[in-house]
């Protein structure tokens, strides 16, 4: 039996995981295209929450993949992670505080808006 990962992951733990870049890891941005144009995390796939239910299953890998989701402050990505878990993506996690917290704690070069 596998252990269920927490629904949220803090930016520091997410950064460490992204540095390792294990096979199958997906980083997904659930903000809108205009927000994604302002700033983004390197390697993120844009999956706006407004169309998430229609596109997520097509664009995300197998259900066992590790998926890190982020938005501006962490609320939309939390909803997206909950939705994915309801579909059987047990390794979906939201980055707590979103890209705003990432900018404050991990990389101040990422613009805040």
């Amino acid at each position: 039996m596998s252990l269920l990962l927490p629904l949220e992951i803090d930016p520091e733990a997410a950064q460490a995981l992204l540095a390792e870049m294990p096979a199958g890891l997906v980083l997904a941005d659930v903000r809108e295209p205009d927000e994604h144009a302002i700033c983004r995390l390197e390697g993120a796939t844009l999956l706006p929450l407004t169309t998430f239910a229609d596109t997520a299953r097509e664009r995300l890998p197998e259900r066992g993949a590790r998926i890190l989701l982020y938005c501006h402050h962490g609320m939309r990505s939390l909803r997206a992670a909950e939705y994915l878990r309801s579909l059987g993506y047990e390794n979906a996690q939201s980055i707590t505080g979103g890209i705003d917290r990432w900018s404050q704690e991990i990389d101040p070069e990422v613009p805040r808006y």
Side-chain angles (χ1 to χ4, degrees), residues 40-57:
R40 71 190 69 68
L41 299 182
E42 180 88 24
T45 298
L46 180 62
L47 292 170
L49 190 62
T50 53
T51 59
F52 197 79
D54 297 329
T55 61
R57 285 179 282 191

Side-chain angles (χ1 to χ4, degrees), residues 24-26 56-67 89:
L25 178 68
V26 174
R57 285 179 282 191
E58 299 168 6
R59 301 202 44 216
L60 292 173
E62 62 195 59
R63 285 194 165 93
R66 184 85 180 259
I67 303 167
Y89 292 86

